[in-house]
Amino acid sequence: MTLEGSLETTADGSRDAVMFVFTVTNAGEAAIELDFADACKAEFLVVDDGTEVWRFSEGRAFAQMLSSDRLDPGESTTYEAEWTDPESGEYTAVAKLRARERTCEATTTVAVSD
């Protein structure tokens, strides 16, 4: 069972906020169940030369509830996050699926200007 991930950002060159859209696609030939232990289905990180500068889950509480997403072959789902008031610079953004017993990750570069 193969999951493929892609990560897009919409910084639009401003320091107001950066939106992250993490798309997870079932690239296999059988349906996949993604099981989650809480309401945080994906983690988003922003890294500057190996140093973490922002983490979506930092300082947040998530409802402890079991849930699942089913992906049929070729089907995709998206998870989103917002980084508010980022510092200007060029960063590496990383998105990681938080499903139990499934892994999927994607990275991209994001530039924030004054």
Side-chain angles (χ1 to χ4, degrees), residues 7 16 30 34 39 48 57-58 60 64 71 74 80 90 94:
L7 178 60
D16 294 335
L34 303 176
D48 182 16
S57 64
E58 187 72 31
R60 298 173 190 256
Q64 299 296 307
L71 291 179
E80 298 180 359
E90 187 165 310
V94 181

Side-chain angles (χ1 to χ4, degrees), residues 25-78:
T25 303
N26 178 355
E29 297 187 17
I32 295 176
E33 287 288 330
L34 303 176
D35 297 315
F36 302 96
D38 63 26
C40 185
K41 295 182 176 185
E43 180 67 272
F44 297 84
L45 310 166
V46 176
V47 180
D48 182 16
D49 289 327
T51 302
E52 183 178 306
V53 296
W54 178 80
R55 177 181 287 263
F56 173 70
S57 64
E58 187 72 31
R60 298 173 190 256
F62 297 96
Q64 299 296 307
M65 60 182 209
L66 298 178
S67 65
S68 65
D69 290 340
R70 177 186 169 96
L71 291 179
D72 289 325
E75 191 174 24
S76 299
T77 189
T78 59

